[in-house]
C-alpha cells in the first residue's frame, strides 16, 4: 500500500533561501491538495489540482509560493525568499474520483526558517 | 464567512465515552469529516457523514449531524489511551476547498 508520500520530511533553511517540497499522491488519485499547518491550528488550504490543472488557490498563497503538477502525478511546492513566518508543516493530500472526495494525507514536511 | 469551530481540549478517563463537538458554517457542505492527528504524524481520516444523514456509526465511533444547527459531534465509546490525539472536524466549502477546525486535543487518563 503506497499512501501519500512527501519529501523531505524536515527542512531547515535560512531566511531568504528558496525551498522546494515534493508530494507523491496515491497513484490512481487525480486530485491533489496542499495545506499549511502551524502549531495549535488546523490545516489551512493552500491550493488544489485536478490532474495537472491548478483549479483553486488560497489568498494565503502569496507570489513567493508556486505549486506545479506537470504530468498530473507528483506535485512540487516552492517557496522563494523564505521568511520566518513560513515556518510550518506543509501537508499534501490526494483524493480519487469519488463523490465523497475523501482526502488522504501524507506525513508532511516540517519547514523551519531560521 | 467560512469557519469551523471546535472546543480546544477534552479530558476523559479510560473507559468513558468522549464527545467532541464542532460547528460549521457552510450549509451547502455535502460531506463532513473527522480526522485524527497523533503527535508528529499526518492526518488520518476517521469517518465522514453525508449531509442528508443524521447519524453514522462505525465500531466505537458515532457521528451525529444536526444540519439545522450546523452542529457535528463525534462520540468515541470506551475511550482508550491510544485515542489520545488531536481530532479535527472538516467541511468542504465552496469549490474543493476543505475548511478545518483548530482541533480538539483529547487527553485520556489511565
Amino acid at each position: 500500500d503506497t499512501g501519500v508520500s512527501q519529501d523531505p520530511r524536515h527542512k531547515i533553511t535560512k531566511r531568504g533561501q528558496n525551498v522546494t517540497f515534493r508530494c507523491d499522491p496515491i497513484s490512481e488519485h487525480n486530485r491533489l491538495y496542499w495545506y499549511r499547518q502551524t502549531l495549535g491550528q488546523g490545516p489551512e488550504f493552500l491550493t488544489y489540482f485536478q490532474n495537472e490543472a491548478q483549479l483553486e488557490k488560497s489568498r494565503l498563497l502569496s507570489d513567493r509560493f508556486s505549486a506545479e503538477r506537470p504530468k498530473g502525478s507528483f506535485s512540487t511546492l516552492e517557496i522563494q525568499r523564505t521568511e520566518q513566518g513560513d515556518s510550518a508543516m506543509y501537508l499534501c493530500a490526494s483524493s480519487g474520483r469519488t463523490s465523497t472526495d475523501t482526502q488522504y494525507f501524507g506525513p508532511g514536511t516540517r519547514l523551519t526558517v531560521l | 464567512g467560512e469557519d469551523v469551530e471546535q472546543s480546544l481540549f477534552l479530558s476523559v478517563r479510560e473507559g468513558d465515552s468522549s464527545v467532541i463537538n464542532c460547528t460549521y458554517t457552510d450549509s451547502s457542505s455535502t460531506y463532513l469529516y473527522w480526522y485524527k492527528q497523533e503527535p508528529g504524524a499526518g492526518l488520518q481520516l476517521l469517518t465522514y457523514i453525508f449531509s442528508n444523514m443524521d447519524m453514522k456509526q462505525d465500531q466505537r465511533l458515532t457521528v451525529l449531524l444536526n444540519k439545522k444547527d450546523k452542529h457535528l459531534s463525534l462520540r468515541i465509546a470506551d475511550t482508550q489511551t491510544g485515542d489520545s490525539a488531536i481530532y479535527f472536524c472538516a467541511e468542504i466549502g465552496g469549490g474543493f476547498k476543505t475548511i478545518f477546525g483548530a482541533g480538539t486535543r483529547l487527553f485520556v487518563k489511565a
Side-chain angles (χ1 to χ4, degrees):
Chain A
D1 175 21
T2 55
V4 179
S5 62
Q6 293 186 244
D7 183 69
R9 295 291 305 276
H10 300 90
K11 178 71 177 178
I12 300 173
T13 191
K14 291 183 179 179
R15 190 175 50 186
Q17 298 295 304
N18 299 343
V19 294
T20 300
F21 309 141
R22 177 180 169 123
C23 171
D24 286 89
I26 293 172
S27 58
E28 61 268 27
H29 284 180
N30 64 328
R31 296 174 181 165
L32 187 146
Y33 310 77
W34 284 100
Y35 295 86
R36 182 177 69 186
Q37 186 178 24
T38 52
L39 197 62
Q41 298 298 318
E44 297 172 293
F45 171 83
L46 291 179
T47 191
Y48 157 72
F49 289 85
Q50 182 156 308
N51 299 313
E52 65 275 9
Q54 188 174 19
L55 297 186
E56 196 164 348
K57 290 167 63 173
S58 165
R59 63 182 183 277
L60 294 174
L61 215 65
S62 74
D63 56 5
R64 295 184 299 105
F65 288 71
S66 62
E68 293 182 343
R69 195 183 183 198
K71 297 180 181 177
S73 56
F74 73 91
S75 175
T76 58
L77 177 68
E78 181 183 16
I79 309 174
Q80 295 182 326
R81 305 181 303 281
T82 51
E83 301 173 356
Q84 287 185 325
D86 297 331
S87 295
M89 177 76 87
Y90 290 84
L91 296 167
C92 176
S94 69
S95 67
R97 304 174 192 270
T98 66
S99 59
T100 63
D101 195 43
T102 302
Q103 295 176 36
Y104 296 87
F105 282 79
T109 295
R110 180 166 295 285
L111 173 66
T112 302
V113 182
L114 301 175
Chain B
E2 301 162 328
D3 200 10
V4 175
E5 294 189 354
Q6 302 178 236
S7 52
L8 292 183
F9 298 99
L10 176 65
S11 179
V12 300
R13 290 184 181 175
E14 191 174 24
D16 288 349
S17 292
S18 307
V19 180
I20 301 171
N21 295 300
C22 167
T23 57
Y24 61 97
T25 56
D26 191 340
S27 58
S28 66
S29 293
T30 307
Y31 290 94
L32 295 134
Y33 305 86
W34 284 102
Y35 284 87
K36 176 183 180 181
Q37 187 175 38
E38 295 180 273
L43 276 75
Q44 172 195 352
L45 177 70
L46 283 179
T47 188
Y48 62 88
I49 187 167
F50 188 46
S51 60
N52 69 352
M53 297 170 65
D54 297 325
M55 185 181 85
K56 180 179 180 181
Q57 187 150 3
D58 184 0
Q59 299 182 335
R60 292 191 298 123
L61 305 178
T62 303
V63 179
L64 296 178
L65 174 60
N66 181 330
K67 198 171 180 182
K68 174 176 171 289
D69 294 337
K70 296 178 189 168
H71 182 266
L72 184 73
S73 69
L74 174 70
R75 178 176 180 270
I76 305 172
D78 187 26
T79 313
Q80 302 297 306
T81 54
D83 294 324
S84 293
I86 304 175
Y87 291 81
F88 293 95
C89 168
E91 62 169 343
I92 293 186
F96 294 96
K97 181 176 162 184
T98 304
I99 311 297
F100 285 83
T104 299
R105 285 137 190 85
L106 174 64
F107 298 96
V108 182
K109 296 176 285 189

